[in-house]
Amino acid sequence: MTDLRAHAETLRELHGKEMLVLPNAWDAVSATVVVEAGFPVVATASAAISAMLGYPDGQGAPWQEMFAAAARIARAVPVPVTVDAEAGYGLPPRELVDRLLDTGAVGCNLEDTDHQAGGLVDAGAHAEWLASVRSAADDAGVPIVINARVDAFLPSSGIAEPDRLAEAMRRGRLYRDAGADCVYPIGVRHKRDLAALVADLACPVNGNTGDELDLATLRDLGVARVSYGPRFYRAAMDDLKTRVRELIQAT
């Protein structure tokens, strides 16, 4: 528990220093590559791990298998690990925290998509649930770093495009006030929208690179954390496809 607390504090402190860049991993080997390259934290990508395990993204994989994969990653590296725990797999807050700590991880992404009904969960109810996760982590004695993902910009949210920014701000404020350490408005494509979110939320914000948002721009905007999701996994699979097709053509 002492090591977990130290890792959690390190992860939290890294959100307030230089921009924390997270090339997401999906297994022990990819996590080791990330650490050997010099990155101080390993983040998992649920879409990549689900695909590796043979399941669809969006809580399509059993949580036991997802957490087992996270545990293998945490055992393989000496740095803090933060887990993409999707929407929490329907686990009660205390059990979610206990299972997360059992893997050796000290941070988690928690998203507000309703994977059964579609669209987004009620923002107020989700904020209360996040507050319960925060309380459970406090009770466990490990200050888990909660990255609250706001899915308002995703087409699957059902929110009309002109309304997405305001809704992301509303949800982000609720989640921040509930105890989230960082707010992650996934799917933001425009610099103006991300700048408005960083200014409005006044807390660490997780961004993604894109056409208008390279690393230098994200740093200038004051983004605290940058993640890549399954991009590197997909790039690796694309490279594999190319190489095996070249091989079959040569045989």
Side-chain angles (χ1 to χ4, degrees):
M1 293 297 286
T2 300
D3 289 343
L4 289 174
R5 281 193 292 270
H7 273 179
E9 293 292 356
T10 296
L11 179 56
R12 176 169 285 102
E13 289 168 3
L14 287 169
H15 284 72
K17 295 183 177 180
E18 292 288 326
M19 186 171 68
L20 179 60
V21 178
L22 300 170
N24 300 68
W26 57 92
D27 59 12
V29 175
S30 58
T32 300
V33 169
V34 168
V35 173
E36 289 179 346
F39 291 94
V41 172
V42 169
T44 71
S46 65
I49 293 177
S50 295
M52 177 192 70
L53 295 173
Y55 296 97
D57 190 24
Q59 300 199 153
W63 67 262
Q64 295 92 334
E65 293 194 44
M66 296 295 286
F67 278 21
R72 290 191 290 272
I73 289 171
R75 286 197 301 268
V77 297
V79 302
V81 172
T82 178
V83 169
D84 182 351
E86 303 187 82
Y89 306 108
L91 296 171
R94 185 54 196 259
E95 185 176 0
L96 174 63
V97 167
D98 288 345
R99 298 295 185 181
L100 185 70
L101 294 176
D102 285 345
T103 71
V106 295
C108 58
N109 277 21
L110 294 170
E111 61 201 41
D112 60 359
T113 286
D114 187 330
H115 291 289
Q116 291 186 325
L120 304 184
V121 298
D122 177 79
H126 190 64
E128 291 180 5
W129 182 75
L130 289 174
S132 296
V133 174
R134 173 85 281 149
S135 178
D138 292 342
D139 290 344
V142 179
I144 288 171
V145 176
I146 299 173
N147 191 32
R149 205 180 88 175
V150 179
D151 292 355
F153 280 89
L154 298 181
S156 59
S157 70
I159 298 172
E161 189 165 354
D163 301 326
R164 289 175 182 172
L165 177 59
E167 181 62 11
M169 287 178 175
R170 183 179 77 88
R171 288 174 174 266
R173 290 187 218 109
L174 286 170
Y175 304 163
R176 174 202 64 197
D177 294 344
D181 301 281
C182 186
V183 174
Y184 179 14
I186 191 172
V188 177
R189 294 177 296 171
H190 300 300
K191 178 179 176 180
R192 64 177 182 275
D193 291 338
L194 190 55
L197 283 159
V198 170
D200 180 79
L201 295 174
C203 71
V205 171
N206 190 145
N208 302 119
T209 57
D211 292 341
E212 294 185 19
L213 299 168
D214 58 17
L215 285 176
T217 300
L218 293 172
R219 186 175 288 108
D220 289 344
L221 290 176
V223 166
R225 168 173 170 161
V226 182
S227 52
Y228 287 81
R231 290 192 214 179
F232 290 102
Y233 168 79
R234 290 170 179 165
M237 292 302 100
D238 286 343
D239 183 63
L240 176 61
K241 288 177 185 177
T242 298
R243 291 178 181 273
V244 295
R245 285 170 180 166
E246 290 173 348
L247 180 60
I248 194 66
Q249 290 172 359
T251 58

